[in-house]
Amino acid sequence: MATPITCFKAYDIRGELNSQLTEDVAYRIGYAFAQELNAKTVVVGSDVRLTSTPLKLALSAGLIDAGATVTDIGMAGTEEIYFATKHLGVDGGIEVTASHNPINYNGMKLVKSGSVPISGDTGLNAIKEKAEALEDSFVSERLAHYTEGALIDADAFFNGTAHVKEDKLSETDKYAVKSCMSDYVFHMLSYVNLSNFTPLKVVVNAGNGAAGPALDAIEKEMKVQGVPIEFVKVHHNADGTFPNGIPNPLLPENRADTADAVKASGADFGVAWDGDFDRCFLFDADGEFIEGYYIVGLLAEAFIEKNTDSKIIYDPRVYWNTEDIVANAGGTPIKSKTGHAFIKERMRKEDAVYGGEMSAHHYFRDFAYCDSGMIPWLLIAELVCVKKQTLASMVKARIEAFPSSGEINSKLKDADAVLERVTSKYQPLASVVDTTDGLGLEFGTWRFNLRKSNTEPVIRLNVESKGDTALMEQKTEELLSLIRAE
């Protein structure tokens, strides 16, 4: 019988430790990954969580046993794996990370050669089937070979499980630790002209995640180049215990430390990252959080200024501001279904220079069409210097022109029934019906998008208007009353 593995999701791997994700499962995933891709060379990395390195080593053991040579770039953010996979020209890459999930979770993000994403219909399901098909006795025997019974501490997450030893992997001549940080930094700084920078003070909150070491390396090179930028560092040191909480600035309750530091230090703006720093979140000089939607517009305009007639990809939740900016700047706006796999696929198809989602994922053609949490703030910093404007002043007019509700989630017993109820009332009145992702309806001066979650009984609502905040707020309340009605 196959061993059931329940941590595979639509686009990645995420699961609760012990019950869903163990070193046994990690070994299986590594073995199956190398089998499915016929991968001979694979790069691996791990975030700061205490459980990530043990999982990564077990994963590496599986990769090696299936015939792959493994390059371990150590503690790294997801985008460092994206970079290393393409830069090193290897057959695939795997980052062990749970990003912003609770401490008792972990997971993996997988890419093919060239950092092409792997999702359910492009290999992830096949990897799952191969991982489940491995004989239990074979997996136990091979893990024992790499561990020699070195049991972990009873207080650790993998209670009673034997850790794979790094020196046992190295004995195979198929495992090596190698840093790509200097090349990564060089690539990050290629997106901006460092001579454009004028004196700046920036608050940076790594949330004790993987962003700290990467930022330090960028800061060091900036100093060598004479860039006059001062960083005010908050929760900067990498710490897998997350003493200040799991870093997830998308949650309003997690923004105060960054906002307070911006105001206290008199910084020009602030940046906060999630655990694996594939997303960054921005705050203006008053410590006000700026919705990712308006950052998409700023970055789109910046790229079009550098690349005339550029194609820009955006998600369908809120888009009037993005479409307006791109069209006025001479670019081509292209709508894509929400989600990194869909955005990246459409970007490759269109050869788009930039793609952005309101969720603070930003994608770049020259970064293998992947998302980065470092490139956006660098571009914003350059814009502040070149335009000689504050970040707040750059987005103020756009927020007034296209006010939006932000994404509002409602947990429901029957999401399908609610979607049908809303559709019946509003669709007959709509001037535009858009089903790119969920239900999108336009009514001249306002519009909304309503989507079901793929993983839980939740409906996600976004409302925006054309220059009428009161109307946006009124329609938001109207929709929520209908959505949440028993």
Side-chain angles (χ1 to χ4, degrees):
M1 290 180 62
T3 298
I5 299 176
T6 60
C7 55
F8 279 74
K9 308 302 179 186
Y11 309 115
D12 57 19
I13 294 166
R14 280 173 287 119
E16 191 169 4
L17 297 163
N18 290 325
S19 61
Q20 293 179 299
L21 187 54
T22 63
E23 291 176 48
D24 178 290
V25 171
Y27 177 93
R28 290 171 181 272
I29 292 169
Y31 197 100
F33 180 93
Q35 272 191 323
E36 175 63 21
L37 273 63
N38 192 27
K40 302 303 178 186
T41 52
V42 180
V43 62
V44 300
S46 53
D47 67 16
V48 303
R49 291 176 185 246
L50 302 181
T51 56
S52 292
T53 295
L55 284 172
K56 178 179 64 177
L57 296 177
L59 169 79
S60 298
L63 289 165
I64 290 167
D65 282 351
T69 296
V70 175
T71 299
D72 185 347
I73 63 170
M75 195 273 283
T78 297
E79 68 184 64
E80 291 179 78
I81 284 292
Y82 294 155
F83 172 78
T85 301
K86 184 177 181 183
H87 179 70
L88 298 175
V90 295
D91 299 325
I94 304 176
E95 166 78 354
V96 178
T97 179
S99 185
H100 58 277
N101 286 97
I103 196 71
N104 59 320
Y105 278 74
N106 216 318
M108 300 178 194
K109 296 180 180 179
L110 295 71
V111 291
K112 303 178 184 179
S113 173
S115 290
V116 175
I118 300 174
S119 59
D121 56 357
T122 59
L124 199 58
N125 289 337
I127 291 170
K128 177 178 182 288
E129 291 174 5
K130 285 181 169 60
E132 290 176 331
L134 287 175
E135 292 288 341
D136 292 349
S137 57
F138 170 77
V139 175
S140 297
E141 178 184 335
R142 294 310 299 160
L143 279 175
H145 169 77
Y146 287 108
T147 60
E148 295 182 335
L151 295 179
I152 68 167
D153 186 277
D155 294 329
F157 289 103
F158 295 104
N159 192 9
T161 303
H163 279 340
V164 171
K165 292 182 177 180
E166 188 172 313
D167 57 355
K168 289 289 288 183
L169 293 176
S170 302
E171 286 177 5
T172 67
D173 294 325
K174 286 197 168 188
Y175 174 85
V177 177
K178 176 182 179 179
S179 173
C180 290
M181 184 64 82
S182 61
D183 292 326
Y184 165 79
V185 169
F186 180 81
H187 185 82
M188 289 295 104
L189 295 180
S190 71
Y191 289 86
V192 293
N193 183 345
L194 295 178
S195 65
N196 284 336
F197 280 69
T198 54
L200 275 181
K201 180 184 287 188
V202 182
V203 165
V204 286
N205 185 348
N208 302 117
L215 184 72
D216 287 343
I218 290 171
E219 178 187 29
K220 182 178 179 182
E221 182 58 27
M222 281 183 147
K223 285 183 177 178
V224 170
Q225 299 293 331
V227 178
I229 187 167
E230 176 188 350
F231 292 108
V232 177
K233 298 176 180 179
V234 178
H235 307 326
H236 190 71
N237 295 331
D239 187 338
T241 67
F242 294 119
N244 298 289
I246 302 295
N248 183 13
L250 195 59
L251 300 177
E253 60 267 28
N254 291 349
R255 299 171 187 167
D257 289 349
T258 308
D260 291 346
V262 169
K263 290 181 285 187
S265 65
D268 293 285
F269 64 91
V271 189
W273 291 273
D274 58 1
D276 62 336
F277 73 91
D278 60 350
R279 295 179 298 159
C280 76
F281 303 84
L282 292 155
F283 299 73
D284 67 20
D286 295 320
E288 293 295 322
F289 179 81
I290 300 173
E291 291 288 346
Y293 175 34
Y294 302 104
I295 300 301
V296 172
L298 273 183
L299 294 181
E301 186 176 20
F303 272 102
I304 294 170
E305 286 178 357
K306 294 181 180 183
N307 305 268
T308 307
D309 196 28
S310 295
K311 293 179 179 179
I312 304 295
I313 309 296
Y314 59 94
D315 74 283
R317 287 171 285 185
V318 281
Y319 54 73
W320 273 346
N321 178 62
T322 305
E323 287 183 340
D324 184 67
I325 286 176
V326 173
N328 287 332
T332 304
I334 299 171
K335 193 184 301 178
S336 168
K337 190 172 182 178
T338 304
H340 81 97
F342 297 112
I343 297 282
K344 291 172 182 175
E345 180 182 6
R346 191 65 187 272
M347 285 189 68
R348 289 176 186 274
K349 179 181 178 182
E350 303 287 350
D351 194 31
V353 67
Y354 164 73
E357 293 183 278
M358 63 170 290
S359 56
H361 282 285
H362 302 278
Y363 308 83
F364 305 90
R365 180 178 62 196
D366 295 339
F367 195 56
Y369 302 96
C370 291
D371 38 336
S372 166
M374 284 294 167
I375 298 171
W377 78 261
L378 285 165
L379 289 167
I380 293 297
E382 184 182 33
L383 275 177
V384 168
C385 296
V386 170
K387 291 181 176 292
K388 296 181 172 56
Q389 296 180 30
T390 65
L391 180 54
S393 66
M394 285 192 284
V395 298
K396 182 177 185 291
R398 305 312 306 181
I399 295 172
E400 291 175 351
F402 299 99
S404 64
S405 64
E407 190 155 271
I408 303 171
N409 296 329
S410 299
K411 194 165 186 177
L412 308 165
K413 293 179 180 178
D414 191 342
D416 287 317
V418 169
L419 190 57
E420 183 178 340
R421 187 161 71 232
V422 173
T423 302
S424 297
K425 178 175 179 178
Y426 288 96
Q427 186 163 314
L429 307 173
S431 58
V432 176
V433 178
D434 176 25
T435 56
T436 304
D437 196 355
L439 177 67
L441 301 178
E442 295 188 16
F443 306 89
T445 57
W446 73 282
R447 62 169 296 275
F448 74 87
N449 175 271
L450 192 64
R451 335 170 23 247
K452 290 192 308 176
S453 167
N454 293 321
T455 57
E456 53 185 336
V458 166
I459 284 277
R460 310 189 193 281
L461 173 68
N462 285 278
V463 184
E464 62 181 329
S465 74
K466 293 181 178 178
D468 193 334
T469 301
L471 175 64
M472 180 274 293
E473 292 174 345
Q474 174 198 334
K475 292 301 182 181
T476 300
E477 288 303 315
E478 182 181 296
L479 278 158
L480 286 175
S481 294
L482 182 60
I483 289 168
R484 295 172 178 175
E486 291 296 334

